């Protein structure tokens, strides 16, 4: 039997202070924890945006960055990025680079579930074919960053709150 996925709880300054099961940590009083976001680019300079699966507990069906995740206790962040790229999108990534090391946010979904994360943002280049996990991703699009920024500015409600904030800093 596989152990339940754990997330790393952190203090306000980012110091690890414990762990909690991922399945139970996200609720109306989600403690601050460590996560990451990644923006994947293709050979034409376009970024991959994904639409979250409709069964997701938070922001279902909303467009977001390429993928997100949580490093496990003791797991290097870059290793977590590689692991999650494979799990969510069925891809390998090249040239993983940290782009927003100090990104953090708190957002409340319409259901009342809180996201409360210290969430460094990475960019990576696509290596291999895209094979999205339907439990995570319902749709994908490759877009130029200028078009993504225009869409976010026109309809921010159609995108995850973390992508809206990240895109304003990145693009």
């Amino acid at each position: 039997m596989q152990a339940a996925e754990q997330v790393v709880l952190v203090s306000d300054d980012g110091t690890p202070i414990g762990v909690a099961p991922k399945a139970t940590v996200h609720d109306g009083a989600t403690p601050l924890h460590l996560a990451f976001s990644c923006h994947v680019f293709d050979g034409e300079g376009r970024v991959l945006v994904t639409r979250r699966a409709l069964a997701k507990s938070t922001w279902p069906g909303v467009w977001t960055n390429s993928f997100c995740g949580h490093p496990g206790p003791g797991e290097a962040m870059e290793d977590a990025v590689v692991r999650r790229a494979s799990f969510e999108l069925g891809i390998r990534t090249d040239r993983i680079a940290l782009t927003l090391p100090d990104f953090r946010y708190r957002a409340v979904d319409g259901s009342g579930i809180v996201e409360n994360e210290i969430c460094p943002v990475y960019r990576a280049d696509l290596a291999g074919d895209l094979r999205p996990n339907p439990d995570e991703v319902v749709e994908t699009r490759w877009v130029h960053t200028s078009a993504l920024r225009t869409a976010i500015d026109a309809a921010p409600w159609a995108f995850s709150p973390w992508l809206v904030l990240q895109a304003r800093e990145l693009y």
Side-chain angles (χ1 to χ4, degrees), residues 1-7 19-23 72-73 83:
M1 177 186 280
Q2 187 176 358
E5 187 176 352
Q6 301 282 306
V7 299
V19 297
K22 179 183 172 191
R83 173 179 53 81

Side-chain angles (χ1 to χ4, degrees), residues 41-46 125-126 142:
F41 287 79
D42 69 4
E44 296 177 34
R46 299 175 301 177
D125 292 335
L126 176 69
W142 290 102

Side-chain angles (χ1 to χ4, degrees), residues 1-167:
M1 177 186 280
Q2 187 176 358
E5 187 176 352
Q6 301 282 306
V7 299
V8 178
L9 304 178
V10 294
S11 66
D12 196 53
D13 69 359
T15 303
I17 57 172
V19 297
K22 179 183 172 191
T24 63
V25 76
H26 296 95
D27 59 22
T30 302
L32 185 62
H33 60 280
L34 191 56
F36 65 84
S37 289
C38 188
H39 297 242
V40 175
F41 287 79
D42 69 4
E44 296 177 34
R46 299 175 301 177
V47 65
L48 177 69
V49 291
T50 60
R51 194 160 71 93
R52 293 171 59 85
L54 299 177
K56 298 290 276 181
S57 61
T58 58
W59 288 276
V62 171
W63 287 96
T64 194
N65 57 289
S66 305
F67 66 95
C68 296
H70 302 86
E75 182 179 27
M77 192 66 82
E78 289 79 9
D79 292 342
V81 170
V82 168
R83 173 179 53 81
R84 199 68 193 176
S86 176
F87 177 77
E88 282 199 33
L89 298 173
I91 63 171
R92 291 177 294 108
T93 51
D94 283 339
R95 292 182 285 282
I96 298 169
L98 182 60
T99 57
L100 295 176
D102 300 320
F103 183 77
R104 68 189 298 168
Y105 74 99
R106 184 180 186 283
V108 183
D109 181 72
S111 68
I113 296 176
V114 174
E115 287 284 4
N116 187 18
E117 299 178 337
I118 291 180
C119 184
V121 179
Y122 291 81
R123 77 161 274 151
D125 292 335
L126 176 69
D129 296 326
L130 190 62
R131 295 180 313 281
N133 178 341
D135 293 334
E136 298 291 327
V137 175
V138 71
E139 200 172 347
T140 64
R141 291 284 184 274
W142 290 102
V143 298
H144 292 283
T145 57
S146 59
L148 176 59
R149 182 62 196 262
T150 297
I152 287 172
D153 288 345
W157 47 265
F159 299 89
S160 69
W162 57 92
L163 176 57
V164 170
L165 295 168
Q166 291 169 11

